Amino acid sequence: MAKIVPFKAVRPTRDKVCLVTCRSYEEYINAELAAQLDFNPLSFLHILKPAYSNQETVSYEKRYKQVSQKYQEFKKEFILVKDKKPAIYIHKIVTKTHSFTGIIVGTSIEDYNNDVVKKHEDILDFRVRLLKEYMNYSEFNTEPVLMTYPDNKTIENWIYNCTQKLADFEFSTTKKEIHYLWKIDDELEINWIQGIFEKTKNLYIADGHHRSEAAKLLSQENRDSKNTVKDYLLSYLISENNIKIYEFNRLIKDLNGLSKDDFLQKLNEHFIVELKNQQPFQPIEKHQFGMYLDHDFYSLILKPEHCVFETALESLDTQIIYKKILSPLLNIQDLRNDERIEYISGKQSMLEVKRKVDEGEFEIGFIMFPSNIQEIKDLADANLVMPPKSTYIEPKFRSGLVIYEL
């Protein structure tokens, strides 16, 4: 059963929160990043990348220690303040098109080890090691792992009642999002919601597999210590039907030496191929794919005789396109590292695929249908791994909003 715990979060003061919190470092283009670092001395970016201007010349260990030093400076200046009582936190994010509400807590590393917390993505060992060292030297974590739990009316009603009072934080971002945060530090109330989650059989990681594994390694290294804080993982728990899953569309730089006619002919073995000319084709259900090639759109529909699958992995559209097209026809074997393939989030218009092909950077583009939460759960329950770049999942959490000290 799932175990959750409250913790004493470090948070920006109410008057500074909109200036402190930031998106993930990688999301900023260079000009925007420079502007933030030059003109906003309160941005959490100063903590995340204190050596950004000369990163190539600074060792990882030195850089991580600089992160810790800058973090302590923010605390000494009372830009960041630690709560006096352990609490759990309700966080609501309102975007232009969606509203997400979840619970920020510590989840058990033991649950992660014992498969109470389910996984569905492969991980890169070197990235896990870097994240583990980052957390070890910085001694904090501000990027919670996004986990889902089954829809639960009791939890939904409790969240609704908690969010009727004035929020501890309410602020807007330059991306026109509104963020709310409520602190719940009443001991009886915390015990009650812990009891509800103890009846939950599994939690499912939606985003944050590398962070979870890094926290596991850190906990193992801490095994002989009395510091139990490292036995828990900063997590954002959200109802499984409250997340938004987008696809990743595929762009390929060449046809692997095939002519257009030969390639289309080979597609006919597994797909019903229909020319759409200039009419964009957006898949509306599983096993449908859009394709853009030589200034024309096509629809590809998997033939019924090929819709027989033995595992949850085989039925995934990202696996189908890999097994039927990318690997055998286009010789794309390594979906993560092959330089001939790139990915575009489904948050962007499908016409972005058209634009990149028309400009000659790529020769062909594939438009996918997004996976759903049940597919993720089926893979996790079967201990299977999704192909890389199968899903782009929201909500995305802002750094510096809630900090879990290690």
Side-chain angles (χ1 to χ4, degrees), residues 251-264:
L251 289 160
I252 316 296
K253 292 189 175 180
D254 59 68
L255 292 182
N256 190 36
L258 294 171
S259 68
K260 172 185 171 181
D261 290 339
D262 286 342
F263 179 70
L264 291 173

Side-chain angles (χ1 to χ4, degrees), residues 56-195:
E56 300 302 323
T57 63
V58 179
S59 68
Y60 286 117
E61 181 178 342
K62 185 176 181 181
R63 192 185 309 169
Y64 298 161
K65 288 180 178 178
Q66 288 175 331
V67 169
S68 178
Q69 180 181 351
K70 193 66 178 178
Y71 173 66
Q72 294 302 327
E73 289 178 8
F74 269 50
K75 289 181 67 179
K76 288 178 182 177
E77 294 173 2
F78 298 102
I79 299 168
L80 299 173
V81 178
K82 189 168 186 175
D83 285 334
K84 295 181 180 180
K85 292 176 61 178
I88 60 178
Y89 304 85
I90 297 174
H91 182 35
K92 182 177 181 179
I93 306 169
V94 181
T95 71
K96 297 176 185 177
T97 56
H98 295 92
S99 177
F100 307 97
T101 305
I103 308 168
I104 306 169
V105 295
T107 54
S108 169
I109 298 293
E110 184 179 4
D111 283 352
Y112 178 82
N113 292 335
N114 294 336
D115 213 29
V116 173
V117 175
K118 298 279 190 173
K119 313 94 178 168
H120 71 270
E121 284 187 7
D122 202 2
I123 55 173
L124 301 174
D125 288 341
F126 81 91
R127 187 176 171 193
V128 170
R129 290 195 299 272
L130 286 179
L131 281 171
K132 188 266 294 182
E133 291 302 312
Y134 185 95
M135 290 190 286
N136 186 42
Y137 283 108
S138 67
E139 298 184 312
F140 71 81
N141 184 12
T142 187
E143 296 185 14
V145 174
L146 180 64
M147 298 186 189
T148 68
Y149 57 85
D151 290 343
N152 185 308
K153 195 67 177 177
T154 300
I155 298 175
E156 181 182 332
N157 289 337
W158 175 76
I159 290 175
Y160 175 80
N161 290 331
C162 290
T163 56
Q164 296 311 294
K165 64 181 181 180
L166 181 67
D168 289 69
F169 289 159
E170 179 182 348
F171 65 96
S172 298
T173 72
T174 55
K175 292 292 183 181
K176 298 181 180 179
E177 298 175 346
I178 305 174
H179 290 256
Y180 303 86
L181 187 80
W182 292 267
K183 179 178 68 173
I184 311 298
D185 60 6
D186 180 81
E187 189 173 343
L188 290 177
E189 199 162 3
I190 290 173
N191 290 338
W192 179 82
I193 196 66
Q194 285 178 311

Side-chain angles (χ1 to χ4, degrees), residues 218-233:
L218 196 61
S219 176
Q220 290 174 342
E221 291 183 358
N222 186 61
R223 189 171 297 159
D224 297 329
S225 169
K226 295 182 180 179
N227 180 9
T228 59
V229 173
K230 294 181 180 178
D231 294 333
Y232 295 91
L233 172 66

